Amino acid sequence: MSGLLSVVLPAYNESEVIELSIKTLCETFENANINYELVFVDDGSKDDTWKKLSDASSDSHIKAIHFSRNFGKEAAIFAGLEMSKGDCVIVMDCDLQHPPKTAVEMYRLWEQGFEVVEGVKNTRGKETIFHTIAANTFYKMMSSSAGIDMSRASDFKLLDRKAVTALLKLPERNMFFRALSSWVGFKSTQIEYDVAERAGGSSKWSTVSLVKYALKNITSFTSFPLQLVSICGVVMILICIFFAVEAIITYSQGNAKEGFTTVILLLTFASSVLMLSLGIIGYYLSKIYEEIKGRPRYIIAETRNMIDETRNI
C-alpha cells in the first residue's frame, strides 16, 4: 500500500524555522521515496512567516494557508486536515521537535495497514518542573474522564483518509484534536519518539496560554468539571450532617453549641464552593453559547498552491 502523504504543519510566528523545516522535511521524504505534500497553516503570524511560506510555494510540494487572524492551534490543524489531499495525513509541529524520521516510520506503518498511528512521547524534552506537573495533571484528568490513556499523548499523529473524513464530519466548533483522533477509533498503533530541541526560536506558549488551552480542551471534550460540582455538593452535605449531629448531641447534654468562628468559616467555605461551582457552570454555558452561534472555526485570507482559495469552516 502506498499513496500521497500530506503533512499538516501549524505555524505561528515561526519565521526562524520555516526554511530549515521545509528543507529538512523535503529531503527526508524524498530520500525515503515518499510522494508528499507539505501543508503549512499560518495561524495569523505577526512576523514574516507568511512571506517565507509564499516564497517557498514555488515548489509544488509546498502548500500554504494564511488565516485572517490568530484562531489557535486546533483551528490550524483542522484547516490543514480539510485542505489536505493525501491518502494519509501526518500532523506535526513545524519546529522539528517532532522528528521527521519518525514521520517516515509512521508512513511505513500505514503502508502495513494501520489507519491511526499515535506518536507517544518517550521523553518530553526540556521543560520546567511547573510545566511538567501541570501537563501530567491535565493528562491524568483527561485520561480518567475520557477513558483514553493520554499520559504521553501528542498532536504528532498519522491518520488515514477515512479517519480524517470521520473527524471532519464532527459538528462541534471547539475541537480537541489530540483526544478526538483517538476517539474516532479505526485500526491503530503507537510509535515512541523523543521530543527534539527546537530548530530555532523559542516556544510561543506562555503559562497563561497553556492554562487557557487546557481549560478549553477539558471543557470541550469532557464534563468532568461539572461532576466536580456534584462532588463538592456531596462533601458540603456530609460536613453539614456532621456539624448538625454534633450540635444535637451537645445540646442534649445540656450545653449550648458555641463557635462563632466555626460558623464564619463554614459560611466562607460554602460560599467559596458555590461561587466556584457557578464559575464552572458559567464556563460551560459560555461554550454552549459559542457552539450555537455557529461561527466558523477559522477564516482563510490567502492560500498558495491550493485549488480552493476561499474555503472557511
Side-chain angles (χ1 to χ4, degrees):
M1 182 180 182
S2 61
L4 175 64
L5 168 66
S6 295
V7 183
V8 173
L9 301 117
Y12 179 66
N13 293 341
E14 296 286 6
S15 63
E16 296 178 70
V17 299
I18 287 294
E19 293 171 335
L20 177 60
S21 178
I22 292 173
K23 180 176 182 294
T24 302
L25 290 170
C26 288
E27 289 178 353
T28 299
F29 294 127
E30 286 169 5
N31 291 337
N33 196 29
I34 295 175
N35 185 23
Y36 70 95
E37 64 173 9
L38 304 183
V39 184
F40 285 89
V41 184
D42 178 12
D43 187 18
S45 297
K46 304 299 183 183
D47 59 7
D48 59 350
T49 296
W50 179 243
K51 180 180 182 303
K52 291 189 175 182
L53 287 174
S54 297
D55 294 341
S57 63
S58 57
D59 183 341
S60 60
H61 289 102
I62 312 301
K63 303 180 186 301
I65 302 166
H66 179 50
F67 283 174
S68 61
R69 65 170 178 82
N70 179 249
F71 284 92
K73 186 177 182 180
E74 301 298 312
I77 289 174
F78 277 89
L81 293 176
E82 175 69 21
M83 303 295 279
S84 66
K85 303 300 180 185
D87 300 293
C88 62
V89 182
I90 290 178
V91 176
M92 62 188 299
D93 293 343
C94 69
D95 56 14
L96 299 179
Q97 286 194 293
H98 295 156
K101 66 177 183 179
T102 305
V104 173
E105 294 171 8
M106 287 180 168
Y107 183 83
R108 300 306 179 203
L109 288 170
W110 174 76
E111 288 182 316
Q112 296 173 25
F114 291 101
E115 295 165 322
V116 176
V117 182
E118 303 268 358
V120 295
K121 299 174 183 177
N122 186 36
T123 60
R124 297 187 60 90
K126 291 184 178 180
E127 290 181 342
T128 63
I129 295 177
F130 172 78
H131 188 278
T132 300
I133 293 173
N136 290 337
T137 302
F138 169 71
Y139 288 123
K140 284 180 181 178
M141 183 182 298
M142 290 297 297
S143 297
S144 60
S145 60
I148 301 172
D149 182 13
M150 298 189 64
S151 57
R152 296 188 294 164
S154 72
D155 290 327
F156 189 23
K157 302 175 188 289
L158 178 144
L159 303 175
D160 182 81
R161 176 52 57 181
K162 289 189 294 184
V164 172
T165 301
L167 274 177
L168 294 176
K169 285 182 178 178
L170 298 177
E172 59 257 42
R173 319 310 293 173
N174 292 306
M175 312 285 274
F176 185 25
F177 171 74
R178 195 169 300 188
L180 286 174
S181 56
S182 299
W183 178 85
V184 294
F186 296 102
K187 185 179 180 181
S188 63
T189 187
Q190 295 183 338
I191 185 170
E192 291 188 344
Y193 72 96
D194 294 319
V195 178
E197 292 292 321
R198 283 181 58 89
S202 59
S203 174
K204 307 307 181 292
W205 290 95
S206 65
T207 301
V208 173
S209 61
L210 284 171
V211 170
K212 288 182 178 178
Y213 180 75
L215 287 174
K216 177 183 177 182
N217 290 322
I218 288 172
T219 53
S220 66
F221 193 74
T222 175
S223 61
F224 179 73
L226 288 176
Q227 297 169 19
L228 284 178
V229 174
S230 299
I231 294 172
C232 288
V234 172
V235 171
M236 285 300 300
I237 290 173
L238 293 176
I239 291 174
C240 290
I241 291 173
F242 171 79
F243 280 103
V245 171
E246 183 188 18
I248 292 171
I249 293 174
T250 304
Y251 181 78
S252 65
Q253 293 174 346
N255 299 317
K257 178 67 177 175
E258 297 181 0
F260 180 74
T261 302
T262 302
V263 173
I264 294 299
L265 289 175
L266 281 174
L267 286 174
T268 303
F269 177 67
S271 299
S272 300
V273 171
L274 285 172
M275 294 304 294
L276 176 62
S277 300
L278 286 173
I280 293 173
I281 294 170
Y283 194 82
Y284 271 91
L285 286 175
S286 71
K287 292 301 176 184
I288 294 172
Y289 177 60
E290 289 178 10
E291 289 287 336
I292 63 176
K293 284 190 295 187
R295 290 178 181 172
R297 295 187 191 125
Y298 56 83
I299 297 174
I300 295 175
E302 298 178 70
T303 65
R304 296 290 183 271
N305 289 337
M306 292 288 184
I307 296 175
D308 191 338
E309 298 285 331
T310 59
R311 184 180 301 175
N312 300 323
I313 289 185

